[in-house]
Amino acid sequence: MGVLEQLRDQVNRKQDDALDQQNIEQELAARYKESILPKMQSIFVFMKEMVEHLTYLEQAVFIDDYSSKYPQFGRLIQTDYKINTDGIIGYVDPSKLMQVNVNFFCLNEGVFTYHLQGKSLIEQEIAFLSAHKVPFEWKYFQGIAIAQNAKFTVARKVPVRFKFEVDYAASNINILINNHENFGVYKKSFAPEEVDDGLLDEVARFMLRIDSDFIRLEITSEHKRIIRSKLEETQREYEEWLSLVRRDELFAQQKPDNNKAGKLFKALSGLRKNKS
């Protein structure tokens, strides 16, 4: 193949790749507009109304055991609900909705203090509290040992976030939860058709600590269907096996007992010998 032909072939492949990519982008855009955007808009309407009601009612939610790591938090109050769609404090164009965020705090008055020794432990603690956006202060102090010592002062204020986010490439909607329980991080992906009022109600009930059904929802509807199908198949196989067992038992009851017949034959043989 000549140089010109090689270049022509490379150009053709590049054009084909560009056309394929264009088709993919068009399909993703159509999927977003037709299936994902309406679901994101319904999520926003649902969560916005819920936040407005909670703000008006000023209904406190109490958390007595928020963190096993820091029992010093004591009782916290869940409050100060906010919603945005730009990741900060505002709203984006509803026709370009890519995320819905519900933020609130688990808080109470005062602070608590504790000491840590050792450079590694101190650095890990700073990284952990910073990552979870918990207000804190710390400073080194002179201890008895050679190892570094630090005093931490932590506010009883934990920011919590529920984020509904479009996974554009996968045509899904992700739900991300930060700091709701014990500084946990939770992420779950849903197909647009799975996002309905029932799912949003489960999220709301979990958010308000009414129950924990949503956090246990670790499988998709498709996986549920597969599991249900397998269970039904297993049940049919069991019933067929049980039917065979019952048939064999019934047959055994109707069949002459060869063992008893053998014993009777031996007994009659003995009587004949005695008479002889």
Side-chain angles (χ1 to χ4, degrees), residues 22-38 168 171 192:
Q22 183 180 0
N23 290 336
I24 291 172
E25 291 175 357
Q26 289 176 350
E27 289 176 2
L28 289 174
R31 172 75 168 166
Y32 169 77
K33 185 177 181 179
E34 295 170 7
S35 301
I36 299 177
L37 179 59
Y168 195 84
S171 293

Side-chain angles (χ1 to χ4, degrees), residues 189-240:
S189 183
F190 294 90
E193 52 269 20
E194 294 180 292
V195 180
D196 54 18
D197 287 344
L199 177 65
L200 294 179
D201 188 65
E202 288 182 358
V203 175
R205 292 176 68 83
F206 178 70
M207 183 186 295
L208 299 178
R209 303 177 192 274
I210 298 172
D211 59 41
S212 299
D213 287 345
F214 171 73
I215 208 71
R216 293 193 292 265
L217 193 64
E218 295 293 342
I219 55 176
T220 65
S221 299
E222 177 63 17
H223 287 158
K224 284 183 177 180
R225 186 192 65 75
I226 293 172
I227 291 172
R228 191 181 304 112
S229 177
K230 288 185 177 296
L231 287 173
E232 291 173 354
E233 182 180 351
T234 302
Q235 180 65 25
R236 286 194 300 270
E237 290 176 351
Y238 171 75
E239 290 176 354
E240 290 175 2

Side-chain angles (χ1 to χ4, degrees), residues 47-64:
M47 290 297 163
K48 187 173 185 294
E49 184 175 357
M50 188 180 74
V51 166
E52 290 172 350
H53 292 336
L54 290 170
T55 302
Y56 178 79
L57 293 172
E58 297 181 343
Q59 206 166 41
V61 176
F62 297 101
I63 308 105
D64 288 320

Side-chain angles (χ1 to χ4, degrees), residues 19-214:
L19 183 61
D20 290 342
Q21 183 60 36
Q22 183 180 0
N23 290 336
I24 291 172
E25 291 175 357
Q26 289 176 350
E27 289 176 2
L28 289 174
R31 172 75 168 166
Y32 169 77
K33 185 177 181 179
E34 295 170 7
S35 301
I36 299 177
L37 179 59
K39 295 295 184 177
M40 290 297 293
Q41 291 170 339
S42 67
I43 289 170
F44 174 70
V45 171
F46 184 102
M47 290 297 163
K48 187 173 185 294
E49 184 175 357
M50 188 180 74
V51 166
E52 290 172 350
H53 292 336
L54 290 170
T55 302
Y56 178 79
L57 293 172
E58 297 181 343
Q59 206 166 41
V61 176
F62 297 101
I63 308 105
D64 288 320
D65 299 300
Y66 172 79
S67 172
S68 57
K69 182 177 176 66
Y70 302 103
Q72 305 97 312
F73 273 118
R75 166 170 279 196
L76 298 177
I77 301 171
Q78 183 169 303
T79 186
D80 195 18
Y81 301 91
K82 298 287 189 299
I83 185 170
N84 69 74
T85 60
D86 63 357
I88 309 174
I89 56 173
Y91 302 117
V92 300
D93 183 344
S95 66
K96 300 177 181 178
L97 197 55
M98 296 296 289
Q99 61 176 299
V100 176
N101 302 286
V102 177
N103 302 285
F104 53 89
F105 289 98
C106 297
L107 55 81
N108 211 330
E109 295 180 353
V111 299
F112 60 89
T113 62
Y114 55 93
H115 300 85
L116 287 177
Q117 185 180 79
K119 181 180 179 181
S120 178
L121 284 178
I122 293 169
E123 290 177 348
Q124 289 176 24
E125 191 73 1
I126 294 171
F128 181 86
L129 293 171
S130 299
H132 292 280
K133 304 185 184 307
V134 179
F136 75 101
E137 296 178 354
W138 70 281
K139 62 180 179 179
Y140 284 117
F141 70 93
Q142 186 63 41
I144 299 175
I146 300 176
Q148 292 180 340
N149 296 271
K151 177 182 179 181
F152 285 81
T153 302
V154 179
R156 291 186 170 90
K157 186 176 183 180
V158 181
V160 183
R161 182 185 67 171
F162 280 65
K163 182 177 184 179
F164 302 81
E165 181 181 55
V166 175
D167 185 345
Y168 195 84
S171 293
N172 285 329
I173 296 174
N174 296 332
I175 300 180
L176 301 93
I177 303 173
N178 296 87
N179 289 353
H180 185 257
E181 290 182 335
N182 202 26
F183 299 104
V185 178
Y186 176 85
K187 180 180 178 180
K188 182 69 179 175
S189 183
F190 294 90
E193 52 269 20
E194 294 180 292
V195 180
D196 54 18
D197 287 344
L199 177 65
L200 294 179
D201 188 65
E202 288 182 358
V203 175
R205 292 176 68 83
F206 178 70
M207 183 186 295
L208 299 178
R209 303 177 192 274
I210 298 172
D211 59 41
S212 299
D213 287 345
F214 171 73

Side-chain angles (χ1 to χ4, degrees), residues 256-266:
D257 191 335
N258 293 329
N259 191 33
K260 289 182 179 180
K263 290 180 180 178
L264 181 59
F265 177 77
K266 290 180 180 178

